[in-house]
Amino acid sequence: MEKTRTLIVAAALLTLAACGRAVETANFASFAEARQSGAVEQGWVPAIIPEGAYELRAAYDRRGTQRWGLFNFRPADADALRAVLEPEEISLDGTVIDIPPRIEWWPVQLRATLDGERIQLTGLRAYHVRSEPLVIAINWNQGRAYYWTR
């Protein structure tokens, strides 16, 4: 009986801990729309995203400590994006991304413990952002980028 009670209490505590991670999500047709909504000013969407970016998705915790997102960009925006990145590519091999399950649009290859070789095969290249503690994985050919807090 005591063992059962202990297991029930432990399960309840784990459930409460998992629910305590409140994550908000937002979608924007363009970077201009994200800026107009206040999402850039609030820090939910990074200011480093190119002005011409479109189809943005953002997720952030309510404490403001974690951010995840994706956006598409046009070839004309590639130089502006490169200008905010550290010049060297980084390896994502072994990196752990603790993505909340609620963010269903986040790609499978960027969840849990990452396989750097598998990610490279998808065309993604990873960089640190110069001005913020962000990592960004970019497929330059497809014009799509994923970012998250380091």
Side-chain angles (χ1 to χ4, degrees):
M1 183 67 167
E2 184 62 34
K3 198 175 201 180
T4 302
R5 186 177 309 148
T6 302
L7 287 173
I8 291 171
V9 170
L13 289 173
L14 286 173
T15 302
L16 285 173
C19 293
R21 190 171 184 190
V23 174
E24 300 288 332
T25 60
N27 296 315
F28 305 99
S30 66
F31 184 69
E33 182 181 306
R35 186 185 305 280
Q36 289 170 348
S37 76
V40 176
E41 183 179 308
Q42 295 290 329
W44 303 329
V45 172
I48 57 99
I49 293 177
E51 290 292 327
Y54 60 99
E55 295 176 1
L56 288 79
R57 293 185 180 192
Y60 50 91
D61 69 10
R62 290 186 181 149
R63 294 169 298 174
T65 58
Q66 294 281 280
R67 292 185 289 179
W68 307 268
L70 69 83
F71 61 91
N72 293 301
F73 61 94
R74 294 174 178 81
D77 294 323
D79 286 341
L81 189 52
R82 281 188 177 94
V84 301
L85 304 176
E86 294 290 341
E88 307 87 32
E89 284 185 31
I90 60 171
S91 171
L92 295 176
D93 197 43
T95 300
V96 177
I97 300 182
D98 182 24
I99 191 87
R102 180 168 183 225
I103 306 172
E104 63 278 347
W105 43 260
W106 193 258
V108 172
Q109 70 267 22
L110 293 178
R111 290 180 181 266
T113 302
L114 305 185
D115 179 338
E117 186 176 329
R118 181 175 169 217
I119 290 169
Q120 287 238 323
L121 289 173
T122 68
L124 288 171
R125 301 295 179 257
Y127 306 86
H128 286 128
V129 173
R130 291 178 195 220
S131 62
E132 297 188 53
L134 294 174
V135 173
I136 189 166
I138 304 170
N139 186 314
W140 295 104
N141 293 327
Q142 292 179 350
R144 175 165 271 201
Y146 302 89
Y147 63 86
W148 64 93
T149 308
R150 288 191 243 173

